[in-house]
Amino acid sequence: MNPFNLKHADERIQVSRDGTVAIVTIANPERRNALGRQMRLALRETMHHLLVADPDSRAIVLTGAGGQFSAGADISEMTKRTVLQSREILDESCQVVRDMLGGPKPVISAVEGVAFGAGLSLAVATDYLVAASSARFCAAFLRIGLIPDTGILWTLPKKIGMSKARELLSLAHEIDGVEAGRIGLANRVVEPGQALSAAIAYARQLAELPPLGMAFIKTALTFAVDDMEASLRAEIDFQPLLRQSRDHLEAANAFIEKRPPVFTGQ
């Protein structure tokens, strides 16, 4: 099924709906949702469409089928690539990360089972991570003689701090969902089998917030938090625009009228 008429559609990248929440499922369970190149291209186009071109989506949940998130890249494809082919494929993967981090809508990962290698990278690149207590996380790149990729060299230190990120990326040891919550990798830790439902509930709350404000805060947090002046400049640039938005006026009127606001993203 190709609901968005995508050039690189793949039936192993599936999209379903829960109201204004889009649920993207990596569905290659016989390989613990390992991502081959065709799947990565389909994931890139699907996420880009949902983030940028789909007016019906206000939040996105990324998960995996069969009780697993993703075992990472499909290793069976790696020996067939030249250096230039590898560079092209990595650029495709990095574009998914760029879109998730810089896109206007919140993305929540729901992690059961393994999130290894590039699977971990994708989970870390989401705005919020919901993990089953039994989930297993591992930056397994060094186990096969590679450096961490798919954006995790940048995203993981931002999420858990440089010291702990250096440990996880260098030692390549596994941690479970409980430990992921303790170190700040996971925003919420739930009972096994509950990660998707908890992530969807989380996404519903986010989908009710003002879309313009959400888009601007994502931009500010992604691009303006490493430098004080850039952070202050983001406030000065973005806040006056939001003050002119219909959503801001709606929120003010709803407060005065003692009713819930209805946000439209205008």
Side-chain angles (χ1 to χ4, degrees):
M1 185 176 180
N2 187 359
F4 308 132
N5 194 30
L6 303 179
K7 179 180 179 182
H8 297 287
D10 190 303
E11 64 182 8
R12 293 166 294 182
I13 302 297
Q14 302 173 353
V15 179
S16 57
R17 303 279 185 173
D18 184 304
T20 56
V21 176
I23 304 157
V24 179
T25 303
I26 305 168
N28 187 17
E30 65 275 9
R31 298 185 64 81
R32 296 196 300 177
N33 301 323
L35 288 156
R37 186 181 189 186
Q38 182 62 33
M39 292 175 65
R40 288 181 183 226
L41 288 169
L43 180 62
R44 182 191 68 178
E45 291 193 2
T46 299
M47 294 298 292
H48 183 80
H49 178 88
L50 291 171
L51 284 162
V52 176
D54 181 24
D56 297 324
S57 301
R58 296 271 287 266
I60 301 163
V61 172
L62 178 63
T63 192
Q68 308 288 337
F69 185 75
S70 174
D74 189 341
I75 297 176
S76 66
E77 293 186 0
M78 291 183 179
T79 58
K80 304 173 185 177
R81 299 172 185 161
T82 66
V83 170
L84 291 179
Q85 287 172 335
S86 292
R87 287 179 62 87
E88 183 178 8
I89 290 168
L90 284 168
D91 184 68
E92 294 163 358
S93 299
C94 287
Q95 188 57 51
V96 179
V97 173
R98 289 189 188 99
D99 285 343
M100 289 198 296
L101 290 171
K105 302 171 186 177
V107 184
I108 305 94
S109 50
V111 180
E112 302 272 358
V114 299
F116 280 15
L120 174 61
S121 299
L122 288 174
V124 174
T126 61
D127 300 296
Y128 309 94
L129 194 159
V130 178
S133 58
S134 58
R136 294 155 53 211
F137 300 87
C138 182
F141 303 91
L142 273 177
R143 294 184 179 183
I144 55 172
L146 300 175
I147 67 166
D149 61 32
T150 316
I152 200 170
L153 288 171
W154 190 81
T155 56
L156 191 62
K158 297 268 288 184
K159 187 155 282 193
I160 65 173
M162 180 59 76
S163 178
K164 196 65 181 178
R166 188 183 297 274
E167 177 186 325
L168 293 183
L169 294 174
S170 299
L171 295 179
H173 63 247
E174 296 180 24
I175 62 171
D176 63 15
V178 175
E179 177 67 4
R182 189 188 71 79
I183 66 175
L185 176 60
N187 296 87
R188 289 191 59 190
V189 180
V190 297
E191 293 297 315
Q194 299 301 309
L196 180 57
S197 60
I200 292 172
Y202 208 155
R204 288 191 196 119
Q205 296 178 53
L206 293 165
E208 293 176 357
L209 297 172
L212 284 176
M214 176 62 68
F216 281 17
I217 198 171
K218 280 197 62 171
T219 298
L221 290 174
T222 299
F223 299 109
V225 296
D226 291 327
D227 176 84
M228 183 195 71
E229 197 57 45
S231 296
L232 297 175
R233 175 52 56 186
E235 294 180 24
I236 295 168
D237 288 344
F238 296 161
Q239 197 75 306
L241 297 175
L242 290 172
R243 287 187 181 276
Q244 301 302 312
S245 69
R246 292 183 183 178
D247 279 350
H248 174 61
L249 181 60
E250 164 65 7
N253 288 335
F255 178 80
I256 294 169
E257 297 166 9
K258 296 181 171 54
R259 62 173 174 82
V262 178
F263 298 119
T264 61
Q266 300 180 33

